[in-house]
Amino acid sequence: MYRLLAKLNKLLLPSLTKSGLDINKAKPWHKVLLAYRYFVTARALDKK
C-alpha cells in the first residue's frame, strides 16, 4: 500500500526540495507535506 502511495506522491505532489525550499523558512503546510512524503517513503522502503 505504501509503495503505491509513494508512486502517487511522486506523480501528483510538487517537489519542494528541487525548488530550493529552506525548511527553516517554510510555511506550515510545506512542513506537513514534507513530513507526509517522508512518512510514506520510509514505510515504502521498509516493506521491501
Side-chain angles (χ1 to χ4, degrees), residues 24-39:
N24 295 324
K25 296 179 183 177
K27 295 180 182 178
W29 70 272
H30 283 135
K31 292 179 183 179
V32 169
L33 184 60
L34 285 170
Y36 168 74
R37 290 187 74 159
Y38 172 79
F39 175 81

Side-chain angles (χ1 to χ4, degrees), residues 10-25:
K10 188 173 182 179
L11 292 173
L12 299 176
L13 296 177
S15 175
L16 298 175
T17 56
K18 289 183 181 177
S19 65
L21 176 71
D22 182 14
I23 294 176
N24 295 324
K25 296 179 183 177

